Amino acid sequence: LNVIDRMAPNDESTRHPSRGAARYAVEANENWFRDHGVKAGDVARFVYRQERIEGVAFGPKMVKVETVDRPDTVEKGLMDRDQMGEDDGMLFVFPRPQILRFWMKNTRIPLSIAFMNTDRKVLNIRDMEPFDMKTRHLSDGQAIYALETNKGWFEKHGVKKGDTARFLQSTVEKTGPPGAESSGDVAW
């Protein structure tokens, strides 16, 4: 719609309106738009870079994971599923460290859960029984990740409190129209 190449620092009195209804505003260093030939009428292309966590490894042992990181997918988790592969799991990624609380509402699969902090260090591991709505499984401290596996997976592979996980990732870069960032592929 329009480009303003100079906005004075600490100037709280000058307003810089758009020339029409705008959904986005992009700020850059002074003269960046001029130096790069960006002018009114140009069309922006949005580029999204995503890192997908495809596996969580503890030493040589790995769990192939489905990552859930949006409120609707976190709420659903593994509910209503009948089975999961032997070395499969679900990794919950939260927006900030907090005491995490899990239960087994509508969950048919016996599970083990490992809570991890921002350094991917295992804070504690709990076993969970199908359909148990009474027991709350809490993290022992501020956690940002919770990894659910088939019950006994951590014990079987010698994973314990204090161990550190490695995340196996793939990076995807895609372009899209404005608003594509809310298509469900980006963490909240």
Side-chain angles (χ1 to χ4, degrees), residues 31-94:
N31 296 321
W32 186 92
F33 298 105
R34 183 197 69 201
D35 294 348
H36 291 86
V38 177
K39 60 193 175 313
D42 287 351
V43 176
R45 182 173 53 98
F46 286 64
V47 178
Y48 306 98
R49 181 183 172 96
Q50 301 169 294
E51 291 184 345
R52 290 185 185 253
I53 302 167
E54 295 184 349
V56 177
F58 297 92
K61 301 300 179 185
M62 184 193 84
V63 177
K64 180 181 176 188
V65 296
E66 177 181 342
T67 301
V68 291
D69 55 8
R70 296 185 333 267
D72 60 321
T73 57
V74 165
E75 182 71 26
K76 177 109 171 112
L78 288 167
M79 287 182 187
D80 303 317
R81 296 192 191 182
D82 293 318
Q83 62 185 3
M84 188 166 53
E86 182 179 338
D87 292 317
D88 290 349
M90 182 170 280
L91 179 67
F92 296 81
V93 180
F94 291 87

Side-chain angles (χ1 to χ4, degrees), residues 18 23 32 42 50 85-86 120 129 136 149 166 173:
S18 65
R23 181 172 180 186
W32 186 92
D42 287 351
Q50 301 169 294
E86 182 179 338
R120 302 176 185 151
E129 296 301 323
R136 297 291 187 251
T149 63
R166 285 185 345 271
E173 216 171 83

Side-chain angles (χ1 to χ4, degrees), residues 104-165:
M104 296 290 284
K105 179 180 177 184
N106 296 326
T107 306
R108 303 174 182 139
I109 307 168
L111 300 172
S112 293
I113 187 168
F115 296 101
M116 295 176 281
N117 65 15
T118 55
D119 295 327
R120 302 176 185 151
K121 181 179 175 183
V122 175
L123 300 173
N124 59 305
I125 298 171
R126 300 277 186 260
D127 288 335
M128 303 187 298
E129 296 301 323
F131 301 105
D132 180 2
M133 288 287 295
K134 293 179 183 175
T135 308
R136 297 291 187 251
H137 302 278
L138 280 74
S139 60
D140 290 349
Q142 300 286 309
I144 196 164
Y145 305 107
L147 174 59
E148 289 181 341
T149 63
N150 286 300
K151 186 175 179 182
W153 190 94
F154 298 108
E155 183 179 4
K156 177 181 177 182
H157 296 291
V159 178
K160 60 193 177 315
K161 178 179 179 173
D163 288 352
T164 301

